[in-house]
Amino acid sequence: MSEVTVKQLAKTVGTPVERLLEQCKEAGLQIENENTVISDENKAQLLNFLRNIHGKSDKDLSSGKKITLKRKSVSELKVSGSSGAATAGRAKTVSVEVRKKRTYVKRDEAAVNPEQEELNKLLEEKNQRLEAERIQAEEAAAKKAEQAAAKKIEDEEQARKKADAEAAKEAERKAEEERLKKEAAQKRADSEAKTQADTRKKPKKAKKSSSSDIDRKELHVSKDKRGKRKKKGAASKQHTASADSKHGFEKPVAPVVREVEISDTITVADLASKMSIKASEVIKVMMQMGVMATINQVIDQETAILVTEEMGHTVKTVSEGEREAALLSHGDDDNSEKVARPPVVTIMGHVDHGKTSLLDYIRESTVTTGEAGGITQHIGAYHVETDKGVISFLDTPGHAAFTSMRARGAQATDIVILVVAADDGVMPQTIEAIQHAKAANVPLIVAVNKIDKEEADPDRVKNELSAHEIIPEDWGGENMFAHVSAKTGDGVKELLDAISLQAELLELTARKDGKAKGTVIEASLDKGRGVVATVLVQEGTLRKGDILLAGQEYGRVRAMFDENARPIEEAGPSIPVVVLGLSGTPLAGDEALVVEDDRKAREVAEMRYHKERDVRLAAQQQAKLDSMFENMGSDEVKMLNVLVKADVQGSLEAIKDSLMKLAASNDEIGITIVGSGVGGITETDVTLAAASNAVVLGFNVRADASARRAVSERDVDLHYYSVIYDLIDQVRSALTGMLDARYEEKIIGIAEVKDVFKSPKFGSVAGSIVTEGMVKRDQPIRVLRENVVIYEGELESLRRFKDDVNEVRSGTECGIAVKNYTDVRPGDQIEVFDRVEVKRSLDA
């Protein structure tokens, strides 16, 4: 081969010039550019280099028998475009690539004979024919792909052409409608002008018919529909005039856009009403958005905004809090002068540590004797006259079920007294009380009670409290400690001095004039007096006759009493008072405030009721959906239905919380509270319990005569309780009894098969020896072969020699016949076991 340049060589071998220059440099050739001449020696050197990097040397090629050459050709095929208006004159170019591969085999000339050469020739011809068929098939496939691409382009052009034609047709239709409207308007204008001209020419005749025409036009009655008969000559004229008259009702040409007010929650029906459309249309739009809803379903504000904007209306978001603030804004009187007020002190601590007994000594009363079980189950509110001034006390329960009561007491107080028994130390509710006080950011005074006992150890209490960041002042901390005895009164004066000192440091002030604000401490339903609510006044002065709004309830204050049931006319800041006259039982912890008039109070109460109802319904629907998905594919959960009635709102809340905690402790059972309320058990409660198969739980309440009669007639399960932990223990026992029985298997004996005998009566009988325990006839068995269970069943016969026996002990030979199983072999083991029921609890 003659010498050629790098560029020519690259074109010959079919590789880019840059790639060839790079390979020359890697092979060690001194090549400057693409026009450099490359000699045969350089080409040989480059070829050896390429063979080495591809794993083939000269020796390999010299000893090799074949070389494969690949060819690839690319051709372009033009496809003419469609004759549509949008693509006239355009053409598409489709690239078709054909790949060819041919293998050449180098044969050993000395080994080739004529027959082999003929055979090789036939094989070569066959390979060439197959290669030609493959190439033909590839060309056919390429042609088919080309045709499919052309057809797709043609379909797209036809679809585009059809869309253009429809758009043009729509434009023509709209233009025709505009033209007809203009012609009709022109005809109406000409008719009105002609009528005015005729009126000016013939005023008398026009006057005669004007009244009738006007009246009939207002009634949208055509002139040819009058009651009186007209002459034939005038009928055609009247018909022509009525054709040009304007109709009284016209469809608006533009959609009506409304401004829709949306609060925090709204039902689908209310949203449709505000948009003046059918609720079915709203549901249809929500389904298109992927939200399933019913006409009475409550949806949140975000979903309602999306639906409203989707239907072309504007949105105005409003907040229930803003509405309440706007309604109640006139009742605020923040400009009045603030004066010093008594401190509100909450006594907290573990159950039976002497909280109420300490308060009794301060009040010189006996409250604990009136409490069932000797424990406090309600929040008691009192104010005491001391040498240092008036102090208001809140006594909270110490039982674990009254967590929410203690939290409310900490939120409504200025100072917390933590009572800890010197002989008992820090307990769970003590720690919980510390946490509530810290969460409310309220100063805490520790009263170490029961120091009169011999086993009292105040230093131990200090050490245990220091672990919870309650450090005494004498240890360099910030918490005041007082060692007291509720029995003897030792240290009570020092405790009151500490309270007064802490109150002076806090500089407590409040408005005394103006409308009162406060917090509902407790509420109950008394059969003789109606709703009774204990309110702690925090600002202003509450007077008899004021309109009081408490949560979702309102009413005029008909009477007020202090904690000793003495009637009073008014109550100032930090004074607890019992109020009569509310419309219903408010929730403990609700804010209570005086409003201007009854109408405003009713409006706010209804607004709060509807908001709470919507939120509750939305939560119930979400909970049902969540529980449906959670229980999908799992066993059905057993439910215990209960109806709870209590004497006061705080106790009812504590009972419901405790029941829900019991239900959450096990996945197999649950509790459904079908009804709850404050007050005695009525016939309606019994009817509801009977319909829902529920158990009625009464806490410090009783059923009236009609309710007791209904209980006996309907066979309703009714239980009375006066101590809350008795109620909780009883419900826990009922839930435990509902749990499914759980069994454990206990192996009682193992027998090893030594030989197998045939019996005409029992079939295969295993001659065995008991190696462990004993074998009993009435127990289930398993057959094991090489420690693998191959059968589980029961014994058909157990014999000792020729005698039937009930059991065979260890080390004794016996004959065993297994029921419905004959494949017993020597060396097998027969395992006898027993199923024992395991006692279950809610935690296991």
Side-chain angles (χ1 to χ4, degrees), residues 537-707:
V537 181
Q538 294 172 315
E539 285 191 352
T541 301
L542 180 62
R543 296 178 175 85
K544 184 178 177 180
D546 287 344
I547 304 296
L548 186 65
L549 174 66
Q552 301 175 19
E553 309 300 336
Y554 68 96
R556 188 180 297 276
V557 179
R558 294 189 288 106
M560 291 195 308
F561 304 92
D562 61 9
E563 65 270 17
N564 297 317
R566 293 183 299 225
I568 56 175
E569 295 295 323
E570 62 179 31
S574 300
I575 301 299
V577 62
V578 177
V579 176
L580 305 182
L582 293 178
S583 58
T585 308
L587 298 177
D590 281 346
E591 181 186 18
L593 68 158
V594 174
V595 295
E596 295 178 352
D597 52 26
D598 186 72
R599 179 191 61 80
K600 185 179 294 186
R602 180 170 57 253
E603 188 174 351
V604 175
E606 290 178 355
M607 188 184 304
R608 290 176 177 176
Y609 169 76
H610 289 298
K611 178 182 178 181
E612 189 271 338
R613 176 179 174 273
D614 292 344
V615 172
R616 186 179 67 254
L617 290 176
Q620 288 177 354
Q621 292 166 356
Q622 185 64 34
K624 288 180 181 178
L625 184 64
D626 293 342
S627 63
M628 181 181 69
F629 284 112
E630 289 176 359
N631 296 330
M632 190 176 295
S634 61
D635 296 334
E636 184 178 356
V637 178
K638 294 183 179 180
M639 300 300 296
L640 174 64
N641 297 331
V642 297
L643 188 146
V644 184
K645 296 298 288 289
D647 55 343
V648 294
Q649 191 69 41
S651 298
L652 177 65
E653 181 183 357
I655 293 170
K656 291 167 67 176
D657 290 345
S658 300
L659 294 180
M660 289 297 100
K661 289 179 181 178
L662 283 179
S665 62
N666 195 289
D667 298 334
E668 299 180 23
I669 55 174
I671 294 179
T672 302
I673 301 177
V674 298
S676 61
V678 175
I681 301 171
T682 63
E683 185 179 3
T684 306
D685 298 328
V686 178
T687 304
L688 175 59
S692 56
N693 194 22
V695 179
V696 181
L697 307 177
F699 183 75
N700 284 335
V701 294
R702 296 293 182 267
D704 56 21
S706 59

Side-chain angles (χ1 to χ4, degrees), residues 218-510:
E218 289 177 351
L219 296 172
H220 313 298
V221 181
S222 303
K223 293 181 180 180
D224 57 345
K225 300 291 183 180
R226 293 179 180 178
K228 297 181 180 180
R229 292 181 177 271
K230 300 297 177 183
K231 296 180 180 180
K232 292 183 179 180
S236 61
K237 294 181 181 179
Q238 292 170 357
H239 180 72
T240 304
S242 65
D244 295 335
S245 64
K246 184 178 179 181
H247 196 279
F249 301 98
E250 289 185 356
K251 183 179 179 180
V253 295
V256 179
V257 179
R258 292 180 172 83
E259 186 180 48
V260 181
E261 290 188 355
I262 300 177
S263 58
D264 297 337
T265 56
I266 189 171
T267 62
V268 174
D270 292 342
L271 182 62
S273 176
K274 291 184 177 182
M275 292 188 290
S276 299
I277 57 176
K278 293 182 178 179
S280 58
E281 296 295 327
V282 177
I283 295 174
K284 188 186 298 181
V285 171
M286 293 182 68
M287 290 177 66
Q288 293 173 355
M289 297 171 63
V291 179
M292 302 299 293
T294 59
I295 188 171
N296 294 321
Q297 185 167 336
V298 180
I299 57 177
D300 56 10
Q301 189 180 65
E302 183 178 355
T303 304
I305 291 173
L306 293 175
V307 174
T308 305
E309 292 177 347
E310 181 71 18
M311 303 192 77
H313 298 281
T314 59
V315 176
K316 180 181 179 182
T317 59
V318 295
S319 174
E320 299 293 342
E322 294 177 357
R323 289 184 177 181
E324 290 186 17
L327 288 172
L328 301 175
S329 59
H330 300 293
D332 294 337
D333 188 11
D334 295 333
N335 297 325
S336 58
E337 184 181 357
K338 291 187 177 183
V339 297
R341 64 172 178 85
V344 178
V345 180
T346 297
I347 299 181
M348 305 174 73
H350 191 72
V351 62
D352 201 26
H353 273 204
K355 299 180 295 301
T356 308
S357 299
L358 179 61
L359 185 59
D360 289 345
Y361 188 88
I362 297 174
R363 297 176 56 218
E364 295 180 357
S365 62
T366 54
V367 177
T368 52
T369 56
E371 292 283 358
I375 64 168
T376 301
Q377 302 184 109
H378 313 116
I379 287 187
Y382 320 95
H383 72 282
V384 179
E385 294 280 349
T386 67
D387 297 338
K388 304 292 183 179
V390 177
I391 301 176
S392 295
F393 288 95
L394 301 180
D395 183 16
T396 63
H399 192 268
F402 296 97
T403 301
S404 55
M405 282 193 184
R406 287 190 294 275
R408 278 200 306 275
Q411 292 292 335
T413 189
D414 302 314
I415 302 170
V416 169
I417 294 181
L418 180 64
V419 178
V420 185
D423 61 337
D424 205 6
V426 175
M427 300 298 286
Q429 272 64 60
T430 310
I431 300 172
E432 189 181 292
I434 295 172
Q435 293 172 349
H436 289 318
K438 289 182 177 180
N441 196 20
V442 176
L444 189 144
I445 299 174
V446 179
V448 183
N449 195 17
K450 302 184 181 181
I451 60 169
D452 55 310
K453 289 190 173 183
E454 295 181 0
E455 59 271 21
D457 188 359
D459 293 334
R460 171 196 167 194
V461 174
K462 293 181 180 180
N463 287 326
E464 292 178 351
L465 288 176
S466 63
H468 300 281
E469 300 180 0
I470 305 298
I471 312 299
E473 287 183 333
D474 52 355
W475 287 12
E478 298 179 354
N479 299 102
M480 289 187 282
F481 275 63
H483 296 176
V484 298
S485 172
K487 186 176 182 180
T488 63
D490 294 340
V492 173
K493 185 176 183 302
E494 289 75 8
L495 178 62
L496 296 177
D497 292 340
I499 294 173
S500 301
L501 178 60
Q502 186 66 58
E504 291 178 5
L505 295 175
L506 293 174
E507 297 181 353
L508 302 172
T509 59

